[in-house]
Amino acid sequence: MARKRKGEGQTALVTGASYGIGLDLAECFARDGYSLILTARSADALKDVADKLSAQYKVAVTPVARDLGSPGGGTTLAKEIAAKGLSVDVLVNNAGYGIAGGMADSKAEEQLGMVDLNVRALLELTQIYWPVMLKNRRGGLLNVASTAAFQPGPLMATYYATKAFVLSLSEALWKEAEGAGVHVSCLCPGPTTSRFRERAGTGKTNLSKVGTPMSSMAVAKQGYRGFQKNTRVVITGARNRFLARAVPYLPRKTLLGIVHNMQSPV
Ligand SMILES: NC(=O)c1ccc[n+]([C@@H]2O[C@H](COP(=O)([O-])OP(=O)(O)OC[C@H]3O[C@@H](n4cnc5c(N)ncnc54)[C@H](OP(=O)(O)O)[C@@H]3O)[C@@H](O)[C@H]2O)c1
């Protein structure tokens, strides 16, 4: 008789699953037998991912194209999921974007859009599914923050602040879930190969010249393993871990100067 896979009987909702880290996280869950609900704005890309993963891993995959950044986007998505008769055991809050540049030169809709997607939609979905997880005593939350979460980010201020929110919320919920049979992990990648840089406009900063970005699958695998072990914070890559852990020991003014330099154009 075939051995039962770890995720069989559970469903993971992955946001931002059309490309990048979210797509690879979806694959990690599919490999272990989780059914999937995948969401992002690009309907065609989502359908391609769903077809590939369901064929390769023999799991049910339901794509639902939605703009999570629009007001009430998370609630609309949850209603659509319920209307399909589906439930969610694991919520992977991965959809997000950043925009580089000084505040004075920024567009209000882009700054507020980051808050809407990276913070508000993440919280909206968490509020909907968290009580269900606690009641069922299973599943959990895998939130994607960033190494940006560990310090303020001059020249990318709003993005860094949104990721600090994600890290803070995740660590608090990890504690609230202690002993409840529910896992909470906050995945904090450093620079990673995906479409992120293209949208963020970070391709010409000093930071982009330092080191080689990790592959999105390497990041996803570390995040997935961390979630299975209920690791509170998963920082990908030895260099990123070292730098993030050094932050509390640096004088704040020095730290702000370093990040400002890293985010400055080459
Ligand atoms: N790449 C990096 O260097 C890096 C480093 C640290 C943290 N991160 C974080 O990792 C997460 C994933 O980013 P990524 O690097 O994989 O970037 P990506 O390749 O740009 O993927 C972003 C995903 O989010 C979806 N998305 C964007 N806006 C959306 C919206 N309004 N509604 C619903 N879905 C939306 C995108 O799909 P559609 O365009 O089809 O909507 C896509 O599937 C983000 O939270 C990002 O902040 C990335």
Side-chain angles (χ1 to χ4, degrees):
M1 205 172 75
R3 234 181 68 217
K4 195 170 177 249
R5 289 183 289 176
K6 191 182 289 174
E8 273 175 41
Q10 292 199 56
T11 300
L13 165 60
V14 184
T15 72
S18 54
Y19 303 107
I21 297 168
L23 189 163
D24 291 328
L25 280 169
E27 179 159 359
C28 292
F29 280 91
R31 196 179 286 132
D32 266 348
Y34 287 84
S35 297
L36 293 174
I37 304 166
L38 306 180
T39 191
R41 292 166 304 174
S42 316
D44 290 348
L46 266 187
K47 188 179 175 311
D48 289 349
V49 176
D51 290 348
K52 176 182 168 270
L53 294 182
S54 61
Q56 193 169 348
Y57 297 105
K58 312 285 176 244
V59 292
V61 186
T62 308
V64 186
R66 278 277 154 264
D67 182 355
L68 279 178
S70 63
T75 305
T76 311
L77 173 68
K79 281 188 181 152
E80 203 167 333
I81 289 169
K84 289 177 189 292
L86 299 171
S87 55
V88 172
D89 301 288
V90 177
L91 170 61
V92 182
N93 276 314
N94 162 77
Y97 75 95
I99 298 287
M103 185 64 77
D105 306 318
S106 68
K107 295 189 184 109
E109 67 267 23
E110 285 180 343
Q111 298 296 312
L112 293 169
M114 275 184 273
V115 177
D116 284 341
L117 182 63
N118 304 4
V119 173
R120 192 196 47 74
L122 177 146
L123 184 56
E124 197 180 357
L125 288 172
T126 302
Q127 273 249 300
I128 293 167
Y129 293 115
W130 181 249
V132 186
M133 292 169 191
L134 292 179
K135 183 168 158 275
N136 294 341
R137 299 187 64 83
R138 70 173 191 173
L141 198 56
L142 173 53
N143 285 339
V144 182
S146 165
T147 47
F150 296 96
Q151 66 280 300
L155 300 182
M156 206 172 178
T158 304
Y159 177 71
Y160 277 58
T162 65
K163 293 304 183 178
F165 174 93
V166 177
L167 176 62
S168 175
L169 180 84
S170 307
E171 290 200 81
L173 293 183
W174 178 89
K175 183 66 187 168
E176 287 188 26
E178 226 171 25
V182 172
H183 287 193
V184 181
S185 283
C186 187
L187 173 59
C188 297
T192 305
T193 309
S194 73
R195 296 188 163 200
F196 178 87
R197 193 172 273 184
E198 199 182 303
R199 189 170 184 189
T202 49
K204 295 190 181 78
T205 58
N206 287 323
L207 180 63
S208 71
K209 307 293 165 209
V210 182
T212 313
M214 284 178 72
S215 79
S216 52
M217 184 49 98
V219 166
K221 280 183 175 166
Q222 289 188 28
Y224 179 75
R225 272 197 301 270
F227 171 75
Q228 290 301 346
K229 291 190 204 154
N230 197 26
T231 306
R232 199 176 73 252
V233 180
V234 179
I235 305 170
T236 58
R239 184 173 151 271
N240 294 327
R241 270 193 296 282
F242 171 78
L243 291 173
R245 285 176 187 154
V247 163
Y249 302 100
L250 288 171
R252 210 63 172 168
K253 232 171 134 182
T254 308
L255 180 65
L256 287 166
I258 294 171
V259 181
H260 187 270
N261 178 264
M262 283 291 124
Q263 292 296 350
S264 294
V266 178

